[in-house]
Amino acid sequence: MHQLPEIANLPLQPLQVPGGWHIIINHFYELDPDDDLAGRQFLHLDPATITDPWSDVLFYYFDHSSLWQSTRNDGRYHIDVEWSPMGKRDGQFIIRLYHAQPVIFSHPPKRTIKQKRDNIQISYELNPPVTWPDSPERVFESRDRKQIVSTLNQWLGECSRVWS
């Protein structure tokens, strides 16, 4: 039986996330499914004890349902990065982009709530109500982490420029 390795000290994958996004999950590390891990001390394991990098270390990282997940602050876009099938050596990265649609009302709901607390006026700007589609608007799959990063950065930029 193998001890679960510490992956918290792995370097996170740098991404170009524009302002206006809420990161929900970030377990997306600079780690590839075919890494041999030779000499990588940051796993808190003696490299000499790693006989099969996949079963000794990588399986635990690639056994998450989501590696990275974010929603635009206005709730209109959601992006998820996962490894599928989970925990399988022959899997691949998958990015899914969901685009919510505004709910149409005959009488639009309030966009702002105002409250007074201790004689101070506070205003809350409300996000418009949206409905989420059953399937993603876009899907991209690749075993190559660099292609995933490039596509993810591109989609984040595109979704940040579109404010409708």
Side-chain angles (χ1 to χ4, degrees), residues 57-77:
V57 178
L58 295 173
F59 167 81
Y60 299 105
Y61 170 66
F62 290 100
D63 194 34
H64 292 340
S65 59
S66 279
L67 300 175
W68 191 87
Q69 202 175 93
S70 183
T71 300
R72 200 171 78 175
N73 286 345
D74 67 357
R76 294 293 299 279
Y77 290 95

Side-chain angles (χ1 to χ4, degrees), residues 132-146:
W132 288 99
D134 292 333
S135 58
E137 180 177 289
R138 294 187 201 170
V139 177
F140 180 77
E141 302 175 1
S142 176
R143 190 167 170 83
D144 184 337
R145 177 178 48 86
K146 291 177 182 166

Side-chain angles (χ1 to χ4, degrees), residues 71 74-77 99-105 127-133 164:
T71 300
D74 67 357
R76 294 293 299 279
Y77 290 95
H99 181 192
Q101 297 302 314
V103 175
I104 306 300
F105 294 95
N127 288 332
V130 296
T131 57
W132 288 99
S164 57

